[in-house]
Amino acid sequence: MSKPLLTSMSFNLEKKWYTSPEQFSEGGCTFSSNIYCLGVLLFELLSSFDCERSHAAALLDLRHRILPSCFLSEHPKEAGFCLWLLHPEPSARPTTREILQSEVIGGIKELPGDVSLSSIHEEESESELLLYFLMSLKDQKQKDASKLVEEVKCLEADVQEVQRRQSSKAPCSSSHQKSLVLWDSRFIRKGVSSSDVYPKLPPDCENETRLIKNIRQLESAYFSTRSNIQPSDDVAMVRRTEEIFNNQENFVSTGNDNEKYRPTDRVGDFFDGLCKYARYSKFRVRGILRNADLNNSANVICSLSFDRDEEYLAAGGVSKKIKVFEYHALFNDSVDIHYPVIEMSNKSKLSCICWNSYIRNYLATTDYDGAVKLWDASTGQAFSHLTEHNERAWSVDFSRVDPTKLASGSDDHLVKLWSINE
């Protein structure tokens, strides 16, 4: 039998199955006949058939209101509801309102396959969230890739610039040449990564090892410097080659620390900082403040501040005292005890001290009572007492733009602005 003929026969059977009894007798389609079709559709949705023959047999029995035994056992409530929809008398079939209010429709929580509506919505939400995440991640990676391309271009440009300056350099000393060979072979050789260079470093190359270990911080400083300095092309390219090599000589030997160098282009600016960084490898204690109350537990120092000219150092804390010391006297190791040049007393423990960067003898303090005080170091007296904070005040600082303005922060979650003149 041909396929078109089978399709025609199936269509005729389905048409017969979905035709209500009154349509066979009267021939017209009414609202009740649509309810009958709904019953047949519900039965087909809830049933499973092994083959077309069993399907046709079940639909034929349905016209006589006979339901399969398996259907009755698996869907007892739905079976009664189907028989109600398939009632031979049109007037006995339910209305739309009755269908919506029925226990079967109102109590349906799950769809075929035990897939709930809520789970479908949840899966859709999760799918949308996953799509949003993937799209956002893709955009971020594209931005990172674009940024990486730009950074590589900057590096290539600066490498070429440094190589150009080296190729045009004047004859230099043997120490210069040794330094340049060292840098050429390890840092500015094109096509060699830091991972290739690092294993080849001899154990005594302390500066080079430090550079590799801190490559991330140096990378951040390099791009920050490069972005902040935007000179014109003629200024960037005209920098004298011997100035670079002077800085390289400083990298090898410290030279005269009093000489100031002011770079005029992005490469020189960063290289000057790099040389200074490589010149020092550790901190050394230059002086110790030996206070008379050093062994007293109440002498905990909470804050320090230099005066405008960095000639004096103010210290304060739990002792409730502000002590001003001469800074350069702290470098004298022969002194057993350093005495303050002036001492000012407060009613509460001090949490912060800040010296005015413009008015040399003015200091500001905060304490555990929440008070903000202004002091005159020349007289040793407080000339202003601000008590707007309700809890302990932790910090205070003068404005760098307007030295008559200051700000304080406190445990009351507030930052308050003050004026010396008000």
Side-chain angles (χ1 to χ4, degrees):
M1 190 177 293
S2 62
K3 186 175 180 180
L5 183 58
L6 288 174
T7 303
S8 177
M9 289 178 62
S10 298
F11 177 76
N12 291 332
L13 285 174
E14 290 184 4
K15 183 178 180 181
K16 182 178 180 181
W17 295 335
Y18 279 86
T19 303
S20 61
E22 65 272 14
Q23 284 182 285
F24 277 109
S25 59
E26 300 176 3
C29 181
T30 62
F31 176 79
S32 297
S33 61
N34 290 333
I35 297 299
Y36 184 91
C37 295
L38 181 61
V40 178
L41 178 62
L42 180 61
F43 172 76
E44 285 200 281
L45 290 175
L46 297 178
S47 302
S48 58
F49 307 101
D50 297 335
C51 59
E52 287 292 334
R53 180 173 296 180
S54 61
H55 181 207
L59 268 297
L60 184 60
D61 291 339
L62 188 64
R63 294 199 58 81
H64 302 286
R65 295 169 60 80
I66 300 174
L67 298 175
S69 57
C70 60
F71 185 85
L72 292 171
S73 61
E74 294 176 3
H75 309 286
K77 290 184 179 180
E78 289 79 359
F81 188 64
C82 283
L83 293 176
W84 188 19
L85 297 175
L86 298 171
H87 200 282
E89 290 296 330
S91 59
R93 297 170 195 156
T95 62
T96 304
R97 183 181 297 276
E98 290 174 334
I99 292 174
L100 295 176
Q101 294 176 352
S102 65
E103 183 180 355
V104 174
I105 299 300
I108 289 180
K109 298 297 182 181
E110 296 184 350
L111 295 176
D114 296 331
V115 181
S116 63
L117 291 173
S118 59
S119 65
I120 291 178
H121 294 318
E122 184 178 353
E123 289 178 0
E124 290 178 352
S125 300
E126 292 176 353
S127 178
E128 291 178 359
L129 180 61
L130 177 60
L131 179 60
Y132 174 77
F133 166 75
L134 294 175
M135 295 298 293
S136 301
L137 183 61
K138 176 185 175 183
D139 293 341
Q140 183 61 43
K141 292 301 180 182
Q142 288 177 341
K143 291 179 181 178
D144 293 343
S146 300
K147 181 180 178 182
L148 183 60
V149 170
E150 292 298 325
E151 290 177 350
V152 170
K153 289 181 179 179
C154 293
L155 289 168
E156 290 177 347
D158 287 347
V159 166
Q160 293 176 1
E161 174 62 18
V162 173
Q163 290 176 336
R164 183 192 66 80
R165 293 173 181 178
Q166 285 190 335
S167 63
S168 60
K169 65 181 180 293
C172 53
S173 64
S174 59
S175 60
H176 272 179
Q177 293 175 348
K178 182 179 179 181
S179 174
L180 294 179
V181 170
L182 180 68
W183 279 85
D184 278 340
S185 61
R186 291 177 184 161
F187 294 101
I188 58 176
R189 186 172 55 194
K190 189 173 183 181
V192 179
S193 64
S194 60
S195 61
D196 296 329
V197 174
Y198 181 70
K200 300 176 183 178
L201 293 176
D204 59 342
C205 293
E206 181 181 357
N207 287 328
E208 291 85 344
T209 304
R210 287 179 60 234
L211 294 182
I212 298 301
K213 287 183 177 180
N214 298 277
I215 191 67
R216 292 297 181 188
Q217 292 85 344
L218 293 172
E219 174 187 350
S220 177
Y222 166 74
F223 287 111
S224 176
T225 302
R226 207 180 194 283
S227 62
N228 292 334
I229 299 180
Q230 298 178 351
S232 59
D233 293 340
D234 55 342
V235 174
M237 296 300 177
V238 175
R239 185 169 182 259
R240 296 193 308 273
T241 304
E242 55 267 25
E243 291 179 333
I244 295 181
F245 297 150
N246 286 338
N247 269 323
Q248 291 178 333
E249 177 69 14
N250 289 336
F251 173 75
V252 179
S253 60
T254 56
N256 187 359
D257 292 340
N258 294 327
E259 292 182 359
K260 300 289 185 178
Y261 170 69
R262 298 181 181 274
T264 57
D265 69 292
R266 56 179 181 267
V267 178
D269 186 27
F270 174 74
F271 191 74
D272 181 64
L274 184 63
C275 291
K276 292 178 180 178
Y277 167 80
R279 191 178 303 163
Y280 307 104
S281 60
K282 60 183 179 181
F283 288 105
R284 180 169 63 89
V285 177
R286 297 290 302 277
I288 298 177
L289 173 60
R290 299 178 178 86
N291 198 343
D293 301 328
L294 184 62
N295 296 325
N296 189 348
S297 59
N299 194 43
V300 175
I301 297 176
C302 299
S303 183
L304 299 167
S305 182
F306 282 99
D307 75 319
R308 181 194 66 187
D309 300 327
E310 297 186 359
E311 295 178 355
Y312 296 96
L313 177 67
V318 179
S319 65
K320 305 179 183 179
K321 296 178 180 179
I322 306 171
K323 298 180 180 181
V324 179
F325 298 89
E326 187 178 358
Y327 174 63
H328 294 287
L330 304 182
F331 297 100
N332 189 353
D333 294 334
S334 62
V335 177
D336 294 331
I337 297 177
H338 295 99
Y339 292 96
V341 295
I342 192 170
E343 185 173 294
M344 297 169 279
S345 298
N346 191 52
K347 292 182 179 180
S348 178
K349 299 176 182 177
L350 295 163
S351 57
C352 184
I353 298 176
C354 180
W355 215 308
N356 194 300
S357 59
Y358 184 78
I359 308 175
R360 183 182 182 186
N361 55 316
Y362 278 14
L363 294 96
T365 63
T366 54
D367 59 32
Y368 280 39
D369 289 337
V372 178
K373 289 186 179 180
L374 297 175
W375 304 80
D376 189 338
S378 60
T379 62
Q381 300 295 322
F383 64 90
S384 182
H385 190 182
L386 310 170
T387 57
E388 294 295 328
H389 285 298
N390 298 325
E391 298 184 28
R392 175 170 47 188
W394 279 110
S395 60
V396 65
D397 196 11
F398 281 100
S399 170
R400 300 294 187 271
V401 177
D402 186 352
T404 64
K405 301 292 191 300
L406 63 154
S408 61
S410 165
D411 278 344
D412 58 10
H413 305 166
L414 297 176
V415 174
K416 294 185 179 291
L417 304 179
W418 315 91
S419 175
I420 295 178
N421 300 327
E422 296 179 4

